[in-house]
Amino acid sequence: MCNDPTEGAIPSGGIFQNVSAVHLEGNRKLCLRVPCMPHGHGRNVRLYIIVAIVVTLILCLTIGLLLYIKNKRVKVTAAAAVSEQLKPQAPMISYDELRVATEEFSQENLIGVGSFGSVYKGHLSHGTTVAVKVLDTLRTGSLKSFFAECETMKNSRHRNLVKLITSCSSVDFKNNDFLALVYEYLCNGSLEDWIKGRRKHANGNGLNLMERLNIAIDVACALDYLHNDSEIPVVHCDLKPTNILLGEDMTAKVGDFGLARKP
């Protein structure tokens, strides 16, 4: 009776003389001293290949996503730069033009004195009336104040903020540093002037209740814009009646951003 061909010892003759050179797969009962390939090895290989493909795809998708985000950021930055270049540039103005406009910075045209300089009323050559804030360059902090106002007003546009027309960085006739900011002129002065009775309506009356309420609303609107809607949020840091100016129609506007800073 013959033995089961799937069982038994490995023959010792013929090609089986060198057992190490013989590879038997699929019959564990013939696997004695020679290591055989485990059952299911083919499925494991396929699994490894699938895992490798999935990992490769994930890496490719991740790298592609990162490149897309980077490219999008570059485009946004470029668009912002172009937008900035397309903004209307402030007209240049010289020291001599301001000197003529204010009649040699005469006392008759002096309309206010602040922490870092003096404000003069002036008339430019094309007829525009302006307020010229001349900074005291010898005073500590004046240069910082100058740049703070320029930076703030450059990025801010609101009906309740005093409009900055241009600035001047030059030297005066004595060859000293000269810094000035040129603002729109508001003919009804500061809120402090009205509170203290230095200004009144033509009929001799001061601010009535409705005007006071409107001024409070205007100031609140200006602060809300600076804090929440400005391109760069700004904290004024020096809000007081002298820095609240009134236009011809008694619209209140906040000015003097020399101490302003980012929150």
Side-chain angles (χ1 to χ4, degrees):
M1 187 172 181
C2 298
N3 294 329
D4 187 345
T6 64
E7 299 184 6
I10 298 176
S12 59
I15 63 171
F16 296 100
Q17 289 180 354
N18 186 1
V19 178
S20 63
V22 178
H23 180 66
L24 299 175
E25 181 178 359
N27 193 331
R28 296 181 180 179
K29 294 184 178 181
L30 294 179
C31 296
L32 300 177
R33 292 175 297 169
V34 183
C36 293
M37 296 295 286
H39 183 66
H41 176 72
R43 284 184 297 176
N44 290 340
V45 171
R46 287 195 295 271
L47 179 62
Y48 294 150
I49 293 174
I50 292 173
V51 171
I53 292 174
V54 171
V55 171
T56 302
L57 288 175
I58 292 174
L59 288 175
C60 290
L61 288 174
T62 303
I63 294 173
L65 181 61
L66 291 175
L67 291 175
Y68 172 77
I69 294 173
K70 181 179 179 181
N71 187 50
K72 188 174 182 180
R73 286 180 178 175
V74 169
K75 288 182 178 179
V76 170
T77 302
V82 171
S83 176
E84 185 68 25
Q85 292 176 355
L86 293 177
K87 287 182 179 179
Q89 300 297 313
M92 300 297 293
I93 195 166
S94 67
Y95 164 78
D96 283 334
E97 288 178 278
L98 294 180
R99 179 180 58 82
V100 172
T102 58
E103 298 177 343
E104 306 283 347
F105 304 102
S106 65
Q107 289 297 310
E108 289 76 12
N109 286 321
L110 181 66
I111 55 178
V113 178
S115 302
F116 296 105
S118 303
V119 182
Y120 298 87
K121 180 179 179 181
H123 301 279
L124 300 180
S125 56
H126 54 268
T128 303
T129 302
V130 295
V132 182
K133 181 178 180 180
V134 180
L135 283 82
D136 182 359
T137 56
L138 299 179
R139 187 178 181 85
T140 303
S142 61
L143 184 61
K144 182 179 179 180
S145 172
F146 175 79
F147 285 117
E149 290 206 55
C150 287
E151 182 66 21
T152 300
M153 302 310 295
K154 179 183 72 173
N155 297 302
S156 301
R157 297 288 185 277
H158 194 271
R159 68 182 294 272
N160 296 121
L161 297 179
V162 178
K163 181 181 178 181
L164 176 65
I165 298 174
T166 187
S167 62
C168 177
S169 178
S170 184
V171 292
D172 60 19
F173 66 94
K174 294 181 180 179
N175 207 37
N176 296 320
D177 290 334
F178 178 83
L179 296 175
L181 296 163
V182 182
Y183 289 97
E184 64 175 321
Y185 176 72
L186 298 172
C187 62
N188 275 317
S190 70
L191 178 59
E192 184 181 49
D193 292 337
W194 288 85
I195 291 175
K196 294 189 175 180
R198 291 194 291 262
R199 280 183 178 266
K200 295 182 180 181
H201 290 295
N203 58 11
N205 294 330
L207 298 173
N208 59 43
L209 179 60
M210 187 57 64
E211 287 173 330
R212 293 170 187 262
L213 179 61
N214 287 334
I215 290 171
I217 293 173
D218 287 342
V219 173
C221 289
L223 295 180
D224 178 64
Y225 167 79
L226 291 172
H227 296 171
N228 303 309
D229 297 324
S230 178
E231 183 177 339
I232 299 177
V234 174
V235 179
H236 189 282
C237 296
D238 193 26
L239 187 64
K240 54 188 178 182
T242 53
N243 293 334
I244 299 171
L245 304 176
L246 302 174
E248 186 175 1
D249 59 354
M250 298 301 288
T251 297
K253 299 191 178 189
V254 176
D256 197 347
F257 287 81
L259 298 178
R261 61 179 178 83
K262 299 176 185 178

